[in-house]
């Protein structure tokens, strides 16, 4: 029997989603008013399953309750007990608000496992609000970088293995300390930003999930070359787009995200790599690729990239 790994994008946007609640930029305004070429997106998260029944979330966005309700695969089993869920685990790639705040939506005494690097789990431990996740039911397990582990839910392995690895990035904005580190690191340490290789145990099929990345270094190039599928950081198209649009006085470089365009951008830097399918995720509301008819969308598609959307389904 041919095995499949089920992958579903339950949120494709960056922090704030599209439209962002207080944003009147062109993309947000058009999405809010139903312009058909600008589709709304919630904040980035992916659900993955080896069997279509037990699901693992890659990041838990602030929109998680809405995302679960919009995704039938993540609904409770109608034949099951009064409270049940097919969500068995959550794997975190960083401590940003748009990656961890959704954990608070999972507080209703439901057994599951939360995985994160030591740095990310320290973020959760340092904020008592996350104690609403009952420690007797919600286990927190540290991902050792560079070491594969079998993902486990409350009843044991779910048929997926994950390898977490460090990628260029930075500490979350709300934890920055200008007195720490050098060269504008703001206290960034290993484990603040990680990528994931997700493998379906029975078939060996795998993909990469890297929703946050500030640059492509040689170890990451080597890791990704030959990949069958990659979900990658699509936050901004140009480094200064938020400044130009009057939305924020920070560049993509400053907030720790690799831009799509330009000589240091994703399109050019990844062009030499052999990656069968490439999908942008974590796309900021300022990014012009969110417009179906934009020249920027045409450019990324011509370069062999796809732009993810809520509800997008992929099978490996």
């Amino acid at each position: 029997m041919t095995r499949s790994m089920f992958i579903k994008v339950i949120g494709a946007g960056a922090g704030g989603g599209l439209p962002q609640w207080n944003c009147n930029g062109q993309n947000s305004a058009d999405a809010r008013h139903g312009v058909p070429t600008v589709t709304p997106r919630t904040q980035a998260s992916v659900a993955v399953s080896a069997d279509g029944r037990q699901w693992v979330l890659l990041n838990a966005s602030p929109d998680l309750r809405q995302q679960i309700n919009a995704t039938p695969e993540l609904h409770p089993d109608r034949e099951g007990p009064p409270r049940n869920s097919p969500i068995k685990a959550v794997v975190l790639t960083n401590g940003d608000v748009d990656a961890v705040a959704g954990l608070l939506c999972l507080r209703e005494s439901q057994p599951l496992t939360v995985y994160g690097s030591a740095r990310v789990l320290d973020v959760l431990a340092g904020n008592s609000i996350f104690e609403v996740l009952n420690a007797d039911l919600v286990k927190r397990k540290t991902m050792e970088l560079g070491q594969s582990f079998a993902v486990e839910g409350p009843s044991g392995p779910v048929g997926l293995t994950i390898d977490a690895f460090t990628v260029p990035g930075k500490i979350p904005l709300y934890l920055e300390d200008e007195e720490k580190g050098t060269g504008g690191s703001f206290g960034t340490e290993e484990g603040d930003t990680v990528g994931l290789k997700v493998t379906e145990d029975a078939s060996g099929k795998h993909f990469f999930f890297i929703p946050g990345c500030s640059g492509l270094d040689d170890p990451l190039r080597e890791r990704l070359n030959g990949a069958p599928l990659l979900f990658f950081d699509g936050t901004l198209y140009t480094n200064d787009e938020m400044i130009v649009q009057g939305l924020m006085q920070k560049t993509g470089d400053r907030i720790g995200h690799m831009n799509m365009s330009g000589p240091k951008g994703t399109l050019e830097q990844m062009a030499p790599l052999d990656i069968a399918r490439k999908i942008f995720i974590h796309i900021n509301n300022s990014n012009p690729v969110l417009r179906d008819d934009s020249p920027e969308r045409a450019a990324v598609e011509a370069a062999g990239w796809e732009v993810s959307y809520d509800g997008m389904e992929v099978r490996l």
Side-chain angles (χ1 to χ4, degrees), residues 23-68:
C23 183
N24 200 35
Q26 193 65 58
N27 287 346
S28 285
D30 285 350
R32 185 176 293 115
H33 291 98
V35 173
T37 55
V38 189
T39 304
R41 287 163 168 84
T42 58
Q43 295 166 90
S45 181
V46 165
V48 58
S49 176
D51 58 12
R53 295 181 292 105
Q54 300 184 97
W55 290 84
V56 175
L57 302 182
L58 309 183
N59 289 341
S61 91
D63 299 318
L64 185 55
R65 178 184 174 276
Q66 174 185 345
Q67 293 167 341
I68 292 172

Side-chain angles (χ1 to χ4, degrees), residues 18 26-27 30-31 34-39 41 237 287-301 307:
L18 177 73
Q26 193 65 58
N27 287 346
D30 285 350
V35 173
T37 55
V38 189
T39 304
R41 287 163 168 84
Y237 190 79
N287 195 323
V289 303
L290 291 170
R291 310 186 73 87
D292 298 344
D293 56 354
S294 69
E296 292 84 1
R297 170 69 73 87
V300 301
E301 291 179 346
V307 175

Side-chain angles (χ1 to χ4, degrees), residues 1 19 24 46-47 61 67 86 113 118 130 143 167 170 203 209 218 226 262 310:
M1 180 178 67
N24 200 35
V46 165
S61 91
Q67 293 167 341
T113 309
F130 290 103
M143 301 187 301
V167 298
K170 63 177 292 299
S203 67
F209 180 70
D218 288 340
D310 290 23

Side-chain angles (χ1 to χ4, degrees), residues 83-137:
R83 286 190 177 182
N84 72 87
S85 174
I87 299 171
K88 305 304 178 183
V90 181
V91 184
L92 305 172
T93 66
N94 59 67
D96 288 333
V97 171
D98 50 335
V100 304
L103 292 173
L104 302 179
C105 299
L106 305 176
R107 66 187 183 275
E108 282 85 8
S109 299
Q110 181 64 40
L112 56 95
T113 309
V114 175
Y115 292 90
S117 69
R119 286 280 287 177
V120 171
L121 293 187
D122 282 347
V123 170
L124 302 186
N127 191 326
S128 60
I129 194 170
F130 290 103
E131 298 306 314
V132 299
L133 296 166
N134 186 341
D136 293 331
L137 297 173

